[in-house]
Amino acid sequence: MLVMLQFSKYQGLGNDFLLIDGREDQLTQQVINPDPAWVRKICDRHFGIGADGLILALPPRADGDLRMQIFNADGSLAEMCGNGIRCLTRFLADIEGDLCVQRWNIETLAGIICPILQEDGQICVDMGSPFLDPESIPTTLTIGSAGLPQGECHLGGTSLHVAAVGMGNPHVIVPVEDLESIPFENWGQRLEKHHAFPAKTNVHFLKIHSPTQLEIRVWERGSGPTLACGTGACASLVAACLLGLSDDHAEVLLPGGVLQISWPGRSGSVFMTGPAEPIFDGVLTPLLSPSHAEVLPQDDQII
């Protein structure tokens, strides 16, 4: 018997995700532990639905209300995603038909994350404390004078001064004077796979407008250029604070919009506040089902 797989598509500042509800343990193992080729196919913007990633809402394994499992557009498993968890939060509220103030304890590979849907529709997420120990990020960069991993990454004839922060997933932050003049894609894809980051890394080029206004361009691990990255905005604020470039609360401008990020007292949890909105609901056709996964060209295979 053919089972039609329902999904919803949501976006947070243009960072878009396919969401599938499996909290009643109704999903098959082909969906819960998917073939990366299937994830690539449904996330492909020409051959599939199109998204920056796939998010599954699953039964909890411990004390959470539910568990989030997220896959990047290339099919790789991700530890956490700030925009993704805001989209999941709004998805849960929409399913339950109640947009009043609500809170969830969501299990992730980065630990329990606690988003709150506020009365104005914005979602505030306690993202937990940043990881500043090199091994926990992970990175081979060593702790510098600012109290976080710092150093130089050599890209051919170019040396970039960088800092690294973990938000349950790895981030490298590169302060620059001008976001428009840098070779964004070249640097982004090379830093993602740089040997200083054994688990690869998300890449953020950071421009300081003022101590309370930052701007970043995002190259996400496993997805490439995206319009926003919530964990990256948090990591960028932490790095900017420790480098003496910003206050502990700032608005972070991304190509898809604005996030409010705070790190009160420069210790403890980082808080992220921003929107998430539904785009559409649908069902996967048989040709897009997990049993019909097929290999699509990777970026380095496209001529």
Side-chain angles (χ1 to χ4, degrees):
M1 182 178 68
L2 180 64
V3 177
M4 304 296 282
L5 189 60
Q6 295 182 322
F7 71 92
S8 296
K9 185 171 179 179
Y10 279 66
Q11 62 86 13
L13 300 185
N15 204 191
D16 56 347
F17 302 91
L18 307 178
L19 292 107
I20 297 176
D21 187 6
R23 289 174 294 164
E24 301 301 319
D25 207 17
Q26 72 270 39
L27 299 179
T28 66
Q29 284 300 310
Q30 282 185 307
V31 178
I32 297 172
N33 298 298
D35 185 332
W38 176 63
V39 179
R40 289 196 296 270
K41 184 170 184 177
I42 62 173
C43 289
D44 189 274
R45 299 188 186 278
H46 300 287
F47 297 97
I49 302 163
D52 291 321
L54 167 67
I55 296 174
L56 306 178
L58 300 173
R61 286 178 171 165
D63 298 326
D65 298 311
L66 70 149
R67 175 166 57 96
M68 179 177 84
Q69 187 156 284
I70 180 167
F71 298 89
N72 297 312
D74 68 354
S76 59
L77 185 65
E79 301 93 342
M80 237 299 283
C81 175
N83 288 318
I85 204 164
R86 291 202 322 279
C87 288
L88 175 58
T89 300
R90 182 60 189 268
F91 173 69
L92 296 171
D94 288 345
I95 288 176
E96 295 169 10
D98 188 356
L99 293 181
C100 66
V101 175
Q102 296 185 72
R103 176 192 178 101
W104 290 264
N105 295 317
I106 300 178
E107 297 174 12
T108 77
L109 291 179
I112 295 284
I113 304 295
C114 305
I116 300 174
L117 178 65
Q118 301 179 146
E119 288 184 349
D120 61 1
Q122 295 278 298
I123 298 159
C124 178
V125 186
D126 179 343
M127 300 291 286
S129 299
F131 296 101
L132 301 176
D133 174 65
E135 290 186 3
S136 64
I137 293 177
T139 179
T140 60
L141 297 174
T142 57
I143 297 291
S145 59
L148 77 170
Q150 295 172 259
E152 291 188 15
C153 286
H154 301 286
L155 307 180
T158 302
S159 293
L160 298 176
H161 292 277
V162 305
V165 174
M167 289 301 306
N169 52 356
H171 299 270
V172 61
I173 296 89
V174 188
V176 297
E177 292 294 327
D178 182 9
L179 290 171
E180 301 303 320
S181 62
I182 61 172
F184 169 71
E185 294 206 0
N186 180 283
W187 286 358
Q189 61 186 337
R190 294 178 72 179
L191 283 170
E192 176 192 359
K193 302 172 183 178
H194 195 278
H195 61 79
F197 304 98
K200 300 185 180 179
T201 187
N202 299 285
V203 184
H204 311 287
F205 299 99
L206 167 67
K207 177 180 174 61
I208 306 295
H209 290 283
S210 77
T212 58
Q213 187 181 72
L214 317 179
E215 183 177 0
I216 61 174
R217 288 190 69 185
V218 176
W219 180 278
E220 286 201 55
R221 180 184 59 168
S223 296
T226 61
L227 295 177
C229 177
T231 53
C234 294
S236 296
L237 177 83
V238 169
C241 279
L242 293 176
L243 293 170
L245 302 175
S246 80
D247 295 342
D248 61 10
H249 182 286
E251 64 175 10
V252 179
L253 312 178
L254 301 114
V258 178
L259 290 173
Q260 299 293 329
I261 309 295
S262 64
W263 189 30
R266 304 189 181 193
S267 65
S269 291
V270 182
F271 295 88
M272 170 190 66
T273 302
E277 298 176 354
I279 302 176
F280 61 83
D281 301 318
V283 294
L284 294 177
T285 68
L287 288 178
L288 283 179
S289 69
S291 59
H292 283 80
E294 62 184 53
V295 176
L296 293 176
Q298 298 296 289
D299 289 342
D300 56 3
Q301 296 174 316
I302 298 174
I303 301 174

